[in-house]
Amino acid sequence: MALAALICAIASFAAVNLLQHVTRSTGAMGTLWLAVSAISTGFGIWATHFIAMLAFSPDMPTGYNSELTALSLAAAVILTGLGMWVATLHDDIEYYMVGGALIGGGIAAMHFTGMAAFEVQGRLEWNTLMAAVSVLSGVVLAGGAIYVALRRRSAPATLCSAGLLTLAICAHHFIAMGSVAITPDSSIEIPTASIEPTALAFAVAAVSLAILVLSGAAVWVDLRLRQTRLEADRMHGLANAAVEGLIVCDGHRIVSINDSVVKLTGMDGQTIEAMALPRLFQATDAFDAMSDWGDRMQEAELKTADGSGIPVELIAREIDYCGKPHTVVAVRDIRERKKAEADILHLAHFDPLTGLPNRRSFSAKLDMEIASPVHCNRKQMALLLIDLDRFKEVNDLFGHGAGDAMLQTVAHSISGLLRQGQMVARLGGDEFAVILPNLTDSAAAGRVAESILRSLREENRTSAGEISASIGIALFPRDAQDSATLTSHADTALYRAKADGKDTCRFFETAMGAEARDRRLMEVELRHAVARNEFRLVYQPQKEISGGKVLGFEALIRWEQPQRGNVSPATFIPIAEESGAIIQIGEWVLATACAEAASWPNPLTIAVNVSAVQLHNPNFTGMVHETLLRSGLAPGRLELEITETALVKDMQRALATLRQIKALGVRVAMDDFGTGYSSLSNLRAFPFDKIKIDGSFIKSVDRNGQIAAIVRAVLGLGRGLGLPVLAEGVETLDELKFLDAEACQIGQGYFLGRPGPIGGFAKITGKKAIKGKPLTPLEEDDALQPDLLTA
């Protein structure tokens, strides 16, 4: 009986282990494990019964019917297998209990069939109640064993389930044996075909050996699977620690994946592992030669749950996985890199603010159109260069946000006017370019330019803005044969449009090219003029009108260029301002004038004009301070003249600079008063020491009532503010008398003193007289011009 219980326990442990493998397997492997588990359990039930029957000794002849004995074994295997199959159909308690009940029924069927095979000289009498209890105990305990085995899935649960199944078999057998009684009957003969107990012992020994073999196989398989599972779990844990996706595959069969792959695809792991590797990446050729990848990375499209693809980068390596060579494929998501590459490519060809093509795209388009054979068929191409008027003032007054909004508005307006094949690009800053290919006549380019100007004017009406532009137009092949020359000619026409009043367009003309070349040459000459000592200063006195006393001088610049001769300030000063050469020239003027004034024995003032370019230079105040220190001139003797136009470009910066200049002790005068705008607010906001009335208001002041009224108003304003007023351009006695009668304090002009070399004013300055160089006719003409020097 102890041996029967041991065999039963071994068979039950093997059966539970094998049953758990059934649930972890699919297809043919699942069926195989189910058959092995059913055989192990059925043999265990059968061996337990007949070993226990060998222990039963009724002291009378016994035997076993061979057919029924075989049938009992078959019943145990078949019914047990059926119960296990039902239990593993679904992960549900009802299936567990029905399956367990069928296994319990298999135990009962085997027992009662085996008892029917038992032949003895006597009659068997059954206790029905105990027989029913034996069946019920087998069914309940078998159901519990199946439930624990399939629901818990752990080592303690496996031992508990094996114990319950052992108890189910033993309890049924021994309770059932207790329900039977044998009444001896010598009239009953044992058939000669019956199996002797000794022979049955050999059969039971064979079955027990089979159970032991199956149990050993189950234990070995379980250990191997546990080891494999542990290794797989360890590998899977390491794989999940990786940010990149990892796929372990055997050929094209996917064996294992990490969580990153699941997250990337949006599919569950079982779905992915059921797919072939090429199908997961929507490719076949690359994976056929996976062993040839080496260290080269491959790009592919990873399939996702919604059918779309994710760009990924792959690299393959050979590894040992669960004792076999496998291939691990690393999957790197490169969506961000692809997006960054696309963004970089877009930035390389498009302007980020307006979305228009940039200079690179413009140049490529222009070169392509010039190389196109279409222009050989009497077709023309027009290049329009567009520059916004007063854009810098918008940035300075309202901030860069307003400037950006203006650029976006202009880009939208121009884009809406162009047709298929035409292109607008932003070249940088407030510069735009339009390419118009395949034109039948040049007038078409003019019509497009006019429509652009009208569109910008319409924007002003709807948005209350101040957008205007100047447009220069050049035609290919009429004006140029290459892109560089065509662009240069369009730029020349643009400059002419700005010079002609802005908010207009101009076509390139041959004469414009000569003017532009001469202008560029003059820019180069101006940059070297200081180093070549081509500049000199002349001085014009500033006198008291009532007494005629000289109070100071204004320094005026003259340029004597070796090839050009004497160049008028009206010609070269605007070019110097636009090119930036005015910074260097202005520093030279200030240094020369201060050094000269410092050498005068008489403490007269020296006035120097300052342009907007220099006023807004952050180093301007430091430069003035350094010049005063180097020359030794008292700050109170220096007077800087500022025009109103220089103030409005950046009111806050100009105010800060003037306050710094005043802190040095330098005087500041408002030059050309009345010709700018917001004059009264400027007088209130800025720390001026003097007002200079522009010469255009002094001319004919004694004969023109309206001009006289304006001058009287300015003089009254000066008295009210406590500021001295200087009248420029005094050229006649009558003008002087009018100013004297109106109590104007200071005057300057031809009638009071022509500009000339400082040596001609030696008596006034107190310096030893130096014979001065006489003025040329051009210098005398310059003295009649408004004061153009700005420093």
Side-chain angles (χ1 to χ4, degrees):
M1 290 177 63
L3 179 61
L6 178 62
I7 293 296
C8 182
I10 293 173
S12 297
F13 178 77
V16 171
N17 266 286
L18 293 170
L19 180 61
Q20 289 176 342
H21 289 308
V22 172
T23 62
R24 290 192 290 265
S25 304
T26 57
M29 288 301 297
T31 304
L32 176 62
W33 283 117
L34 180 63
V36 173
S37 180
I39 291 171
S40 175
T41 308
F43 276 32
I45 297 170
W46 188 85
T48 299
H49 174 82
F50 283 99
I51 290 173
M53 289 300 295
L54 290 175
F56 180 68
S57 179
D59 292 331
M60 59 186 70
T62 58
Y64 293 91
N65 183 281
S66 58
E67 290 83 3
L68 290 176
T69 300
L71 181 62
S72 67
L73 177 60
V77 172
I78 293 172
L79 289 177
T80 300
L82 180 63
M84 291 182 174
W85 176 73
V86 171
T88 56
L89 281 177
H90 288 284
D91 187 13
D92 198 342
I93 188 172
E94 287 84 359
Y95 285 86
Y96 298 160
M97 300 311 295
V98 171
L102 287 172
I103 292 173
I107 297 172
M110 184 275 132
H111 179 81
F112 289 112
T113 306
M115 290 302 295
F118 181 61
E119 295 178 340
V120 64
Q121 282 187 331
R123 294 186 303 277
L124 300 181
E125 295 179 359
W126 295 88
N127 184 319
T128 307
L129 178 60
M130 289 188 66
V133 170
S134 70
V135 173
L136 182 62
S137 64
V139 168
V140 172
L141 291 172
I146 298 302
Y147 175 81
V148 173
L150 298 182
R151 177 54 64 95
R152 300 301 176 187
R153 310 288 179 92
S154 63
T158 300
L159 293 174
C160 179
S161 175
L164 287 173
L165 186 57
T166 302
L167 188 60
I169 296 170
C170 292
H172 173 83
H173 176 80
F174 293 115
I175 294 174
M177 288 301 292
S179 68
V180 66
I182 301 176
T183 303
D185 186 351
S186 58
S187 63
I188 299 175
E189 295 184 359
I190 304 300
T192 57
S194 297
I195 302 173
E196 292 290 332
T198 304
L200 182 62
F202 284 104
V204 170
V207 171
S208 299
L209 180 61
I211 293 172
L212 290 174
V213 170
L214 287 174
S215 300
V219 172
W220 180 81
V221 168
D222 184 65
L223 291 175
R224 287 286 298 171
L225 288 177
R226 284 177 184 274
Q227 182 182 0
T228 301
R229 189 161 55 250
L230 287 173
E231 184 177 355
D233 290 343
R234 182 177 63 84
M235 293 286 289
H236 195 70
L238 290 174
N240 283 333
V243 176
E244 296 178 338
L246 294 175
I247 301 174
V248 179
C249 53
D250 183 6
H252 286 176
R253 184 175 66 87
I254 297 175
V255 176
S256 177
I257 58 172
N258 69 349
D259 292 344
S260 294
V261 176
V262 174
K263 185 177 179 181
L264 274 176
T265 60
M267 295 185 283
D268 61 84
Q270 291 182 348
T271 302
I272 297 174
E273 291 176 0
M275 300 170 66
L277 191 64
R279 184 180 165 211
L280 179 62
F281 290 97
Q282 302 176 338
T284 55
D285 296 342
F287 293 98
D288 290 338
M290 195 162 47
S291 59
D292 299 332
W293 287 6
D295 292 330
R296 291 181 291 109
M297 292 186 178
Q298 305 288 326
E299 291 191 5
E301 289 281 330
L302 178 64
K303 185 178 180 181
T304 61
D306 59 5
S308 61
I310 295 175
V312 293
E313 195 172 60
L314 308 176
I315 188 167
R317 290 284 186 274
E318 294 294 327
I319 65 166
D320 182 77
Y321 182 78
C322 298
K324 290 179 59 181
H326 287 72
T327 302
V328 60
V329 179
V331 183
R332 179 181 299 164
D333 183 0
I334 57 173
R335 282 179 292 183
E336 289 298 324
R337 193 184 78 188
K338 290 291 186 182
K339 181 179 181 299
E341 290 174 354
D343 290 343
I344 291 171
L345 185 63
H346 187 273
L347 288 174
H349 294 88
F350 291 89
D351 172 51
L353 176 64
T354 61
L356 296 179
N358 60 10
R359 185 180 290 273
R360 175 182 290 184
S361 298
F362 159 77
S363 299
K365 171 75 170 176
L366 187 61
D367 291 338
M368 183 188 71
E369 291 296 340
I370 288 177
S372 173
V374 174
H375 303 296
C376 299
N377 301 325
R378 298 180 181 273
K379 295 283 187 178
Q380 299 186 72
M381 179 184 67
L383 172 61
L384 280 61
L385 290 186
I386 305 169
D387 191 84
L388 302 186
D389 302 329
R390 297 178 294 276
F391 177 72
K392 187 176 185 305
E393 294 179 12
V394 173
N395 266 343
D396 292 341
L397 293 174
F398 303 108
H400 291 284
D404 291 347
M406 177 181 286
L407 292 173
Q408 291 170 335
T409 299
V410 171
H412 182 266
S413 297
I414 298 175
S415 299
L417 299 172
L418 302 184
R419 300 195 305 270
Q420 183 74 23
Q422 299 175 342
M423 174 185 179
V424 56
R426 183 188 176 203
L427 304 185
D430 60 338
E431 299 176 69
F432 295 84
V434 175
I435 299 175
L436 305 174
N438 304 328
L439 299 180
T440 55
D441 60 83
S442 59
R447 289 192 292 271
V448 173
E450 289 294 342
S451 66
I452 291 173
L453 296 176
R454 283 196 303 272
S455 175
L456 297 182
R457 296 181 194 121
E458 183 64 28
E459 286 289 342
N460 290 337
R461 284 194 290 271
T462 57
S463 62
E466 294 184 2
I467 306 175
S468 69
S470 300
I471 304 177
I473 308 171
L475 299 173
F476 173 85
R478 188 191 75 179
D479 297 330
Q481 300 297 317
D482 60 86
S483 60
T485 307
L486 187 69
T487 304
S488 176
H489 288 348
D491 188 61
T492 300
L494 172 62
Y495 178 79
R496 174 56 62 88
K498 283 189 170 296
D500 288 349
K502 305 179 180 180
D503 193 25
T504 187
C505 64
R506 291 290 182 268
F507 281 88
F508 173 77
E509 299 173 2
T510 305
M512 293 180 184
E515 292 177 6
R517 286 192 295 273
D518 184 66
R519 180 182 181 84
R520 286 192 290 270
L521 179 60
M522 184 174 288
E523 289 180 5
V524 175
E525 293 169 348
L526 282 169
R527 294 185 187 279
H528 300 285
V530 172
R532 293 170 180 169
N533 296 318
E534 295 175 1
F535 291 119
R536 63 187 179 84
L537 294 182
V538 295
Y539 298 83
Q540 187 172 29
Q542 297 175 341
K543 295 182 178 181
E544 283 185 351
I545 289 180
S546 59
K549 179 182 177 182
V550 176
L551 302 176
F553 292 90
E554 180 177 3
L556 303 173
I557 191 169
R558 297 294 182 261
W559 182 27
E560 188 173 349
Q561 212 277 334
Q563 286 76 36
R564 300 177 186 271
N566 292 308
V567 184
S568 170
T571 301
F572 74 81
I573 291 297
I575 297 176
E577 287 187 317
E578 292 182 13
S579 66
I582 195 67
I583 298 290
Q584 182 187 22
I585 295 171
E587 290 180 5
W588 177 85
V589 170
L590 186 64
T592 304
C594 288
E596 176 61 40
S599 68
W600 301 338
N602 296 331
L604 303 172
T605 61
I606 183 70
V608 179
N609 283 312
V610 176
S611 76
V613 178
Q614 184 131 348
L615 183 64
H616 297 303
N617 188 325
N619 300 321
F620 178 64
T621 304
M623 186 271 294
V624 173
H625 189 204
E626 184 179 348
T627 301
L628 290 172
L629 293 175
R630 191 185 305 115
S631 65
L633 181 69
R637 293 178 60 194
L638 176 62
E639 185 173 272
L640 300 181
E641 298 183 356
I642 313 294
T643 62
E644 290 180 288
T645 306
L647 301 178
V648 298
K649 291 191 174 182
D650 190 336
M651 301 283 278
Q652 296 302 320
R653 182 182 297 179
L655 179 59
T657 302
L658 291 182
R659 284 174 175 167
Q660 292 170 359
I661 293 296
K662 290 283 291 181
L664 295 176
V666 177
R667 298 167 59 81
V668 180
M670 176 180 279
D671 197 12
D672 299 338
F673 183 80
T675 59
Y677 46 89
S678 302
S679 300
L680 297 180
S681 62
N682 288 337
L683 286 174
R684 179 177 61 84
F686 291 92
F688 292 108
D689 298 294
K690 182 188 291 184
I691 299 173
K692 294 186 70 174
I693 304 176
D694 188 71
S696 62
F697 291 99
I698 303 304
K699 188 175 182 179
S700 304
V701 69
D702 56 314
R703 300 190 302 274
N704 190 313
Q706 291 181 337
I707 292 178
I710 293 173
V711 172
R712 289 191 187 97
V714 174
L715 292 171
L717 181 63
R719 286 191 294 271
L721 295 174
L723 298 177
V725 179
L726 184 151
E728 294 183 291
V730 181
E731 298 180 3
T732 67
L733 179 60
D734 291 334
E735 291 170 357
L736 183 64
K737 289 180 178 179
F738 175 86
L739 293 171
D740 187 31
E742 295 298 330
C744 180
Q745 298 100 320
I746 311 169
Q748 178 181 342
Y750 264 34
F751 189 78
L752 298 174
R754 288 174 174 269
I758 195 61
F761 303 101
K763 291 183 180 180
I764 299 173
T765 61
K767 193 174 180 181
K768 183 179 179 181
I770 300 174
K771 187 176 181 180
K773 178 182 176 183
L775 291 179
T776 65
L778 180 58
E779 289 173 331
E780 293 182 354
D781 291 340
D782 289 345
L784 295 172
Q785 300 293 334
D787 299 336
L788 295 169
L789 172 69
T790 55

